[in-house]
Amino acid sequence: MDLQGKKRIEAVLAIAGYAASGGAVSALPSPGVEMPKQFVLTAADIGMYTLIWKIYFEEDLSQKNLLEILAELGMVTIGAVGTAYVVAKVSTAILNEINDWLGPVGWGVKAAIAGSLSSLFGLGWMLYCDRLYSQKEVAF
């Protein structure tokens, strides 16, 4: 297996770990505090993005660097992805409030939603990093 393939596997495992832990945090019933929980999950997502970057490029990515990279993608992309992310998080918080009333079934739904969202955004970031890494490898 080539180095890029190993990086892909490591990134997918990291995404799976973050998605599972985010799902577990979301599953905990916490009526009335779902929105603050989304801030914690967002911070975890940023940690996931920086870890994926480190896997591919072996350098630490600060929050400032993350914003610079997103700016390079273009303001339209940032606006679209940022808006989608915020809408997803707010929608998740609202759904989680409703699911808290459903007991264990609702808690399972919350875990699935949170894990899926983290996975989706993590895989998108991984694909972006993978493309950058491929271009970097071709340049050398």
Side-chain angles (χ1 to χ4, degrees), residues 34-35 38 87-100:
E34 290 299 336
M35 204 56 184
Q38 293 304 313
V87 167
K89 287 297 184 178
V90 170
S91 299
T92 301
I94 292 167
L95 283 173
N96 287 345
E97 287 291 347
I98 295 167
N99 285 331
D100 278 336

Side-chain angles (χ1 to χ4, degrees), residues 6-22 44-45 47-56 115 118-119 122-123 125-126:
K6 290 178 182 176
K7 290 180 181 293
R8 287 175 181 154
I9 290 171
E10 192 175 343
V12 167
L13 291 174
I15 292 166
Y18 273 92
S21 61
D45 286 349
M48 175 179 61
Y49 304 146
T50 57
L51 177 60
I52 292 169
W53 184 269
K54 188 173 185 174
I55 288 168
Y56 274 94
S118 289
S119 297
L123 288 171
W125 180 251
M126 185 193 104

Side-chain angles (χ1 to χ4, degrees), residues 58-72:
E58 298 173 7
E59 66 181 14
D60 287 321
L61 181 66
S62 70
Q63 189 172 3
K64 180 182 177 216
N65 294 131
L66 179 61
L67 294 174
E68 289 172 3
I69 291 168
L70 292 174
E72 289 175 13

Side-chain angles (χ1 to χ4, degrees), residues 19-30:
S21 61
V25 167
S26 289
L28 298 171
S30 51

